[in-house]
Amino acid sequence: MRALVMGASGGIGSAVCAALSRAGDEVVAVDSPRSTVAADHRRHVVADLAEPGAARAAVLRAWDLYGPLDVLLHVAGLYPARRALESTEELFDTVMAVNTRSALMAATALAELCERHGRGAAIVFTSSGGALRPRPGTTVYAASKAALEAVTRGLALELGPLGVRVNAVAPGFVAVGSALNPVPDTYVEAIRAASPAGRVGTPDDIVPGLLWLCSADSAWVNGHVLATDGGAGLGSRTAPSWLPS
């Protein structure tokens, strides 16, 4: 299996690249010009996913350089913390470009190639529990992920007859220690205390869902958003309660 991983240097991206490599699959890594991902993967494509046309060009280049692609994993994303009243058009456009537009454009580029060559493929996006449960400061991010889930369903409907499946995972909070999307320790602790699992997620918690949706084991799953959140979507253990303490 040859998999194109967009956002390969991130916490989830690097974890899924490692898992694919351990399984003997070929990985083509895509990340920004500022990333060191090229040093970690023999097969790589550089792309700034915020730029128009970059995602599509990355898929075409990967196919031309390394051969037909069986899987597209889009795990790239921006997670800015900004109050709604402080959000700008530039912020909205950038987040939507990376989190949503690049996923759509990459998927349609791959589908066109698959149709031309008579091949199928599995496409898996990375959404978020925030698509349904925004937190203060995540309005723009939540909008991008809600749009991504709509893209998932729409593409699944249209691309299914081509043999191209489109699904997504929706993690809860995942601690990745990102310099690009830094999160205060106090926030991480609050999430841990509220979690039904008693801890926050790690990239390794998300990888099995991503790999399953890529595999033949999920061949009859299409247009689905798989919650991989340790039960966070059920509610908070620290929510107000009338029960005696």
Side-chain angles (χ1 to χ4, degrees):
M1 184 175 76
R2 183 176 296 116
L4 184 70
V5 181
M6 310 192 86
S9 70
I12 295 175
S14 58
V16 77
C17 284
L20 287 164
S21 295
R22 286 194 300 269
D25 298 314
E26 293 185 29
V27 177
V28 182
V30 179
D31 228 309
S32 74
R34 298 174 295 279
S35 170
T36 59
V37 68
D40 300 325
H41 296 277
R42 184 164 58 87
R43 300 173 179 85
H44 68 274
V45 175
V46 174
D48 184 347
L49 298 181
E51 293 297 319
R56 178 179 178 82
V59 172
L60 299 178
R61 182 166 175 77
W63 187 290
D64 287 342
L65 286 177
Y66 305 116
L69 302 170
D70 304 297
V71 168
L72 167 64
L73 285 156
H74 187 285
V75 293
L78 297 177
Y79 183 72
R82 190 77 60 86
R83 297 180 190 278
L85 294 180
E86 297 170 349
S87 298
T88 63
E89 292 182 2
E90 180 182 10
L91 176 72
F92 182 86
D93 290 346
T94 300
V95 173
M96 291 296 292
V98 175
N99 293 5
T100 312
R101 185 185 70 195
S102 70
L104 170 63
M105 294 297 102
T108 54
L110 179 57
E112 289 172 7
L113 289 166
C114 287
E115 182 179 32
R116 188 182 309 159
H117 295 276
R119 298 175 58 92
I123 296 172
V124 186
F125 299 142
T126 307
S127 183
S128 166
L132 299 176
R133 302 182 305 280
R135 300 178 186 275
T138 67
T139 297
V140 172
Y141 174 77
S144 74
K145 294 302 187 178
L148 182 62
E149 293 191 3
V151 166
T152 301
R153 291 186 289 270
L155 287 177
L157 183 67
E158 293 196 42
L159 303 184
L162 303 179
V164 177
R165 295 187 299 117
V166 185
N167 293 287
V169 298
F173 178 79
V174 178
V176 296
S178 171
L180 180 63
N181 302 304
V183 177
D185 291 342
T186 51
Y187 180 82
V188 176
E189 174 54 27
I191 296 295
R192 184 206 63 74
S195 170
R199 65 176 179 86
V200 298
T202 69
D204 288 339
D205 293 320
I206 312 306
V207 167
L210 290 168
L211 296 183
W212 180 71
L213 289 172
C214 293
S215 73
D217 290 340
S218 63
W220 201 233
V221 179
N222 195 24
H224 182 66
V225 178
L226 175 66
T228 52
D229 62 3
L234 302 173
S236 168
R237 293 192 302 137
T238 56
S241 171
W242 62 86
L243 298 174
S245 58

